[in-house]
Amino acid sequence: MNTKIVKSIVYVFEVICVMLFVYFYSCLQKTNNIQRTELERLREGNANMLYKIENMIVLSKLQYSMEGRNIQNVCLYDRNNNRSQFDELYQNGYRLGYFISEQSCSACYKSFLNALKETSNIIGKNKIVLICKFGNRRNFQAFIKDHDLNLDIYRAEDDFGLFEEYNDYPIAFMITPDLRMENVIITDKTNHEISNDYLEIMQTKILNR
Amino acid sequence: MKYILYLYIMLFLMVGCRSDKEQITADTKISIELNKWKRIKLSEFVDSIELIPLETRSNNLIGEVNKIIYHDNKYYIHATTGYQNGKLFVFNSVGDFLYSIDRRGQGPGEYYDLEIFCISNENEVKLMSYRKITTTSIDGTFLYDTEVPLGLRECLLLHDGNLIATSRETRLDDPNLLVSMSGKGEVLKTFFPIKDNYKTVNDTNQNLSSLFLYKDTVCVNNPYGHYIYKLIDNSLVGKIEINYMGKTIPEDFFDKDDDVVKQDKKLARLKDYGCLRSFGIADDYIYLTSTDKEFNGYFSLYSKNTGKVVTAQAIEDDLFFKGNLLKLKYKNLPHNMDGNEMLWDLDPFYLIEGYNNYISTLSESEFYEFKNKYPQLYKMCSNLKEDDNPVILRIKIKI
């Protein structure tokens, strides 16, 4: 009899143990999940910030290395496919240039293009020139139509070949008559605010020239 | 205590149950020789070609063709200008423009950029953008939005009405490459984990087409991978191995933390390498397209009946514009199918050049004969302009 009671107690104890184990385990899992989610959120935030900082370092280095460099006198085609050379665009003095490649990400140039359109109303359309690298003409025409661009725009089949890589970043710049790049900025999805400030500064510079 | 022991054993068993895709051996091996001088004649693999010149208007200029779905006698074409600014254009079966769907914006029923699309059994268009699916009726009227917890790259409609997509965010929380979704776009499950060293490679590279549905089998390939995995009901059932004959990128070539620049630098150090860009499976054949280090394109056809594979870097026209050669590059490789037929979008430039070259060699009587033999081809090519929209070649393959 005693043995039976003891066996029953042990059995009940085992069941309680299992239940407690499952209960504590699930509680622990819940807490763990909450902590993991929070940790992931923080990690993601941190990764985004790190990405921004790393990106800005790369962009700053690239901008710095482009400053004052001579640019290749690339061949350009206007909307009607008339051919001209890059240096012809700058015969009438300083202009603000903006280069976009078909491989550039739209998030990096869209807002700058819109800001550029507004700036053109203040400084004049003839002070801005867009150079877009597109392999085929239809793609270029579709791009113009898509962004409703009525600025001075040209198609280039090659980029400026400034670097071994990174040549597809959208770049805004001023060009001196001897084809040196000045006031270079790479517009990127991580630096919208800076690129808008840049346009304000360039606006003043061009108006004061 | 024995119950606790059983519990532990069961827990261990549950944790230990994991399928390993490497355990399945390849059921098909396809060897592709990347030989720059290799040509294939059109007559060697073409049974018939139907030409569908897509009408050109100022409001329907197509930059790059990404995906073509032939549905209800209409061509639904996802096109971009450059690599982005996606829109959906709809043409009838002979290429007349019908309408376009472009819902870029920031409000409900709008998206930042259209990345891919598919059409459901209920005739709804699923427009996929970053972490969002916008569903419209077939004519583009907005129906509803569905949020998706991860970025998608390619998507297919399954026969049961569910959707399957590839993830482009395997390096973040979820390493699974495939995403199973309900017809409405709610995520049901993610599965098929990608190898650690391919997570960033997968997220930062995109192929022309790497997800394909053949009957009930979902076929998928990951960027720079040399297997096409075959899955039925979310389980791996087989794989096709692509052997670039000494130019295959080794499985452990990339490291976990290789970003795009590091990947490019590593690849640049290789003498040459093959990379699968698109594939499609028909009843009798598998087509595959590849590129080498210099982005030369290669077109391969594998016969399911004989196991024979032919690969070429250029296609020689010996049927229509005889003697002309189409050199393949990444940008003019085919990547769409409709049933057993290939849908190859070709820039008008190639047809105009081929036509002009050919007719310049013909005498007056030969030209007259050509005009009578191929009236549609003559009419189309003599009216085509270089800036016109692409022409779709609907090719019935014989192999």
Side-chain angles (χ1 to χ4, degrees), chain A residues 49-162:
Chain A
M49 191 54 76
L50 207 67
Y51 168 72
K52 264 191 173 184
I53 294 167
E54 279 176 3
N55 209 33
M56 282 178 121
I57 292 170
V58 174
L59 297 184
S60 308
K61 281 183 186 171
L62 290 173
Q63 282 164 202
Y64 181 71
S65 67
M66 275 190 265
E67 202 67 38
R69 271 181 74 172
N70 274 93
I71 219 165
Q72 284 178 39
N73 194 10
V74 290
C75 182
L76 301 172
Y77 302 87
D78 68 8
R79 289 168 194 259
N80 303 316
N81 211 35
N82 298 316
R83 193 179 152 149
S84 58
Q85 291 297 125
F86 185 73
D87 60 352
E88 291 170 36
L89 306 180
Y90 292 90
Q91 281 169 353
N92 301 322
Y94 287 81
R95 293 172 93 183
L96 180 61
Y98 190 42
F99 170 85
I100 303 167
S101 155
E102 62 185 319
Q103 286 173 31
S104 307
C105 81
S106 59
C108 299
Y109 63 73
K110 243 181 196 173
S111 76
F112 193 81
L113 267 184
N114 291 333
L116 209 55
K117 282 187 211 167
E118 284 171 27
T119 309
S120 73
N121 294 330
I122 301 163
I123 62 173
K125 285 191 169 47
N126 59 337
K127 289 287 175 198
I128 294 172
V129 57
L130 296 180
I131 297 143
C132 308
K133 184 189 144 195
F134 276 98
N136 85 36
R137 294 197 320 231
R138 190 184 59 250
N139 224 327
F140 175 59
Q141 295 295 348
F143 178 80
I144 295 173
K145 183 92 189 161
D146 220 27
H147 293 89
D148 193 21
L149 296 170
N150 58 357
L151 297 166
D152 204 9
I153 186 164
Y154 295 86
R155 179 174 73 91
E157 285 180 350
D158 301 304
D159 52 50
F160 296 136
L162 295 165

Side-chain angles (χ1 to χ4, degrees), chain B residues 120-258:
Chain B
S120 76
N121 290 341
E122 288 78 35
N123 255 4
E124 292 173 346
V125 183
K126 307 279 171 192
L127 304 164
M128 309 201 180
S129 51
Y130 183 64
R131 294 193 172 198
K132 186 176 176 181
I133 300 176
T134 301
T135 302
T136 70
S137 62
I138 204 77
D139 61 357
T141 311
F142 172 61
L143 297 175
Y144 55 89
D145 277 329
T146 314
E147 298 293 328
V148 185
L150 71 174
L152 306 175
R153 176 151 284 146
E154 287 180 61
C155 187
L156 289 173
L157 173 77
L158 300 176
H159 298 306
D160 61 6
N162 284 343
L163 304 170
I164 193 153
T166 46
S167 163
R168 48 174 262 205
E169 288 188 332
T170 51
R171 75 193 182 289
L172 301 179
D173 304 338
D174 190 342
N176 287 308
L177 179 64
L178 292 169
V179 185
S180 166
M181 293 179 286
S182 71
K184 283 195 178 294
E186 296 128 345
V187 173
L188 302 175
K189 84 182 251 200
T190 62
F191 59 104
F192 204 60
I194 199 159
K195 270 185 153 185
D196 260 5
N197 62 333
Y198 272 83
K199 285 178 186 169
T200 311
V201 176
N202 174 63
D203 295 0
T204 51
N205 293 279
Q206 182 171 9
N207 279 338
L208 291 167
S209 168
S210 55
L211 186 65
F212 191 86
L213 184 69
Y214 175 68
K215 292 181 177 162
D216 285 326
T217 311
V218 173
C219 304
V220 67
N221 159 259
N222 55 292
Y224 293 116
H226 56 274
Y227 285 110
I228 296 168
Y229 297 101
K230 299 195 273 190
L231 299 101
I232 296 177
D233 295 331
N234 304 346
S235 306
L236 187 68
V237 292
K239 59 184 181 183
I240 300 169
E241 186 182 341
I242 316 295
N243 177 8
Y244 284 108
M245 304 168 86
K247 294 177 182 175
T248 304
I249 299 171
E251 289 272 295
D252 57 354
F253 181 72
F254 296 106
D255 285 320
K256 195 184 164 194
D257 301 319
D258 287 351

Side-chain angles (χ1 to χ4, degrees), chain A residues 14 18 21 40 102-103 105-107 109-110 134 136-139 141-143 145-147 165-166, chain B residues 1 3-4 8 58 61-64 81-85 87 104 112 173 261 331 347 387-390:
Chain A
E14 278 180 353
V18 170
F21 173 80
E40 279 305 315
E102 62 185 319
Q103 286 173 31
C105 81
S106 59
Y109 63 73
K110 243 181 196 173
F134 276 98
N136 85 36
R137 294 197 320 231
R138 190 184 59 250
N139 224 327
Q141 295 295 348
F143 178 80
K145 183 92 189 161
D146 220 27
H147 293 89
E165 56 233 13
Y166 303 113
Chain B
M1 280 309 278
Y3 297 106
I4 295 172
Y8 274 120
S58 62
L61 291 173
I62 290 174
E64 316 277 342
T81 50
Y83 283 8
Q84 295 183 329
N85 308 308
K87 284 182 189 173
R104 279 174 296 167
Y112 184 75
D173 304 338
V261 178
K331 285 219 169 186
D347 220 67
D387 291 348
D388 281 351
N389 273 337

